[in-house]
Amino acid sequence: MKLLLNPALALAALVFLSPAYAELPFTVTEVSQFDEPWSVAEMPDGRLLVTETKGNLIIVDTDGKQSRPVSGVPDVNYGGQGGLGDVVLHPDFAKNGMVYLSYAEAGVAGTRGAAVARGVLDASGRRPALSDVEVIWRQYPKLLGFGHYSHRMLFDDDGYLWISSGDRQKFTTSQDMQSNSGKLLRLHEDGTVPEDNPFVDYYSENPRVGRGGVYPQIWSLGHRNLLGLALDLDGRLWEIEMGPAGGDELNLIERGANYGYPEVSNGDHYDGRKMPNHDTRPEFNEPALWWTPVISPGDMLIYRGKAFDAWRGDAIIAGLSSKAIIRVELGDDGSAEEVERFDMGARIRSVQEAADGSILVLEDDYGDSKGRLLRLTPAS
């Protein structure tokens, strides 16, 4: 495994011949088990919301008991990597009960794309339900294929909604400003565009492009398959994404920046063709950290709690093909370094910090990974 820090920071490269797995410093408790789970969110009363890609949103009691699927969830286009994806709570969920869902949505002539909808959750009855559901964002344009929707979501401390929009396994979208695929997007809670986004004046500055496009939504571009978003203790936004054959990336996000894909990557094409590395094109932002062989990141959190006090401020990454949880220390200067890797024996799809500082972990449901919801607490 090769880990490279950002060369612009003049830091030395770290090279490891093989992953060094650390002894588990936590106790693993199984909470429940699901059919192709993708995301988990904790409600203020301690109950959990879990999405299953086939289209189910399920409430899990503190004892692990599952509700009937929540009604009112939008129809999803299930298949490949598509289906129901992320679930996040509105910052004022305790007052308004609003839940945000991302999912793959069908288009015309076999096309599809990611979408985000929100609705009000009533979790009080025997059959929980979403009402007043409205779609607030869509990937544009809809494309053929079943991969790289990304559609992770995050609310920041100022109430802005961030959405990761994957490249849909195409080589044109990430650098195409007339598409919002291969981009990181910043919106208001209702899907409208903040006036201070970096490309709100793109049309007036580039009059040959179409009027009324998706440019104002875009915060950064040149991304591939963005599957983890998290704010650090200083409020900086970090993003983790899958590279091609090598070159998974951890990026510190900057306003209006271009991260280079597919013009550059520290991986190569799957057919063996070489891609220029980031250090050949200084106009593109380089990753703070990259992995070859890949870890296949599925999600990321930056730890804020006290239960794992030594991890405070570190990135905790869900690894799919690596079947691991990876801990990365983040530097004040924008550097990043992998410091521990924990062998979980299963593909890890999602990680979320709970209110008590424990870590909620969702296994993938593929092969010998059984779709379990786990809770990690410090080992005694």
Side-chain angles (χ1 to χ4, degrees), residues 12-194:
L14 300 178
V15 179
F16 294 90
L17 296 180
S18 61
Y21 288 97
E23 182 179 352
L24 298 185
F26 44 74
T27 299
V28 180
T29 303
E30 180 176 339
V31 177
S32 196
Q33 190 169 346
F34 298 88
D35 182 10
E36 297 185 35
W38 208 87
S39 182
V40 57
E42 184 181 33
M43 294 191 288
D45 62 6
R47 290 183 295 171
L48 306 175
L49 290 170
V50 174
T51 61
E52 296 178 329
T53 57
K54 293 179 181 178
N56 294 324
L57 176 65
I58 297 171
I59 298 173
V60 184
D61 288 342
T62 53
D63 61 0
K65 183 180 178 181
Q66 297 183 19
S67 72
R68 299 172 61 186
V70 176
S71 65
V73 172
D75 291 336
V76 307
N77 189 263
Y78 171 74
Q81 297 175 15
L84 186 59
D86 214 357
V87 53
V88 299
L89 308 182
H90 187 280
D92 290 326
F93 174 84
K95 296 179 180 179
N96 63 25
M98 192 168 290
V99 171
Y100 289 69
L101 297 171
S102 69
Y103 57 99
E105 178 185 59
V108 299
T111 61
R112 52 195 62 83
V116 170
R118 65 176 184 174
V120 177
L121 177 66
D122 179 358
S124 61
R126 293 183 57 190
R127 180 68 188 270
L130 279 180
S131 61
D132 301 323
V133 177
E134 60 174 339
V135 178
I136 64 164
W137 174 81
R138 287 183 165 98
Q139 254 175 355
Y140 175 83
K142 286 184 167 61
L143 298 165
L144 298 172
F146 294 88
H148 292 193
Y149 299 94
S150 294
H151 57 36
R152 285 286 182 194
M153 297 181 290
L154 172 73
F155 275 104
D156 68 18
D157 296 336
D158 295 319
Y160 292 111
L161 174 64
W162 297 83
I163 303 172
S164 70
S165 180
D167 73 332
R168 297 300 323 286
Q169 295 179 309
K170 313 300 179 187
F171 288 100
T172 57
T173 58
S174 297
Q175 297 295 326
D176 181 2
M177 290 296 289
Q178 298 185 80
S179 168
N180 58 18
S181 298
K183 314 295 193 304
L184 182 62
L185 313 173
R186 175 180 180 253
L187 303 173
H188 288 302
E189 63 179 64
D190 61 356
T192 57
V193 175

Side-chain angles (χ1 to χ4, degrees), residues 160-325:
Y160 292 111
L161 174 64
W162 297 83
I163 303 172
S164 70
S165 180
D167 73 332
R168 297 300 323 286
Q169 295 179 309
K170 313 300 179 187
F171 288 100
T172 57
T173 58
S174 297
Q175 297 295 326
D176 181 2
M177 290 296 289
Q178 298 185 80
S179 168
N180 58 18
S181 298
K183 314 295 193 304
L184 182 62
L185 313 173
R186 175 180 180 253
L187 303 173
H188 288 302
E189 63 179 64
D190 61 356
T192 57
V193 175
E195 294 182 356
D196 60 344
N197 272 8
F199 298 106
V200 292
D201 296 324
Y202 189 81
Y203 173 76
S204 61
E205 297 168 359
N206 300 271
R208 293 185 179 181
V209 301
R211 182 186 294 271
V214 295
Y215 334 110
Q217 302 176 3
I218 299 169
W219 187 265
S220 63
L221 64 150
H223 298 288
R224 186 172 182 268
N225 191 16
L226 318 84
L227 286 167
L229 302 173
L231 295 169
D232 67 17
L233 302 185
D234 295 320
R236 300 178 301 179
L237 181 62
W238 294 78
E239 171 269 329
I240 196 162
E241 65 187 75
M242 289 189 178
D248 288 347
E249 296 181 7
L250 175 63
N251 291 303
L252 177 59
I253 296 299
E254 296 181 352
R255 183 181 189 273
N258 188 334
Y259 291 81
Y261 187 80
E263 300 299 320
V264 293
S265 173
N266 291 345
D268 293 317
H269 293 285
Y270 285 111
D271 62 8
R273 288 176 296 140
K274 299 298 182 183
M275 298 181 72
N277 288 346
H278 275 87
D279 58 12
T280 67
R281 299 284 298 273
E283 69 269 32
F284 296 127
N285 278 37
E286 298 185 65
L289 184 61
W290 60 272
W291 287 266
T292 299
V294 298
I295 59 171
S296 303
D299 194 9
M300 175 178 65
L301 64 86
I302 294 177
Y303 192 73
R304 295 170 173 265
K306 296 181 179 179
F308 296 95
D309 192 57
W311 294 3
R312 184 170 169 79
D314 293 349
I316 308 299
I317 298 164
L320 289 162
S321 66
S322 54
K323 297 184 177 182
I325 289 175

Side-chain angles (χ1 to χ4, degrees), residues 342-358:
F342 306 112
D343 183 2
M344 299 299 291
R347 292 166 54 87
I348 305 302
R349 169 58 65 184
S350 180
V351 287
Q352 291 292 319
E353 182 179 337
D356 63 1
S358 63

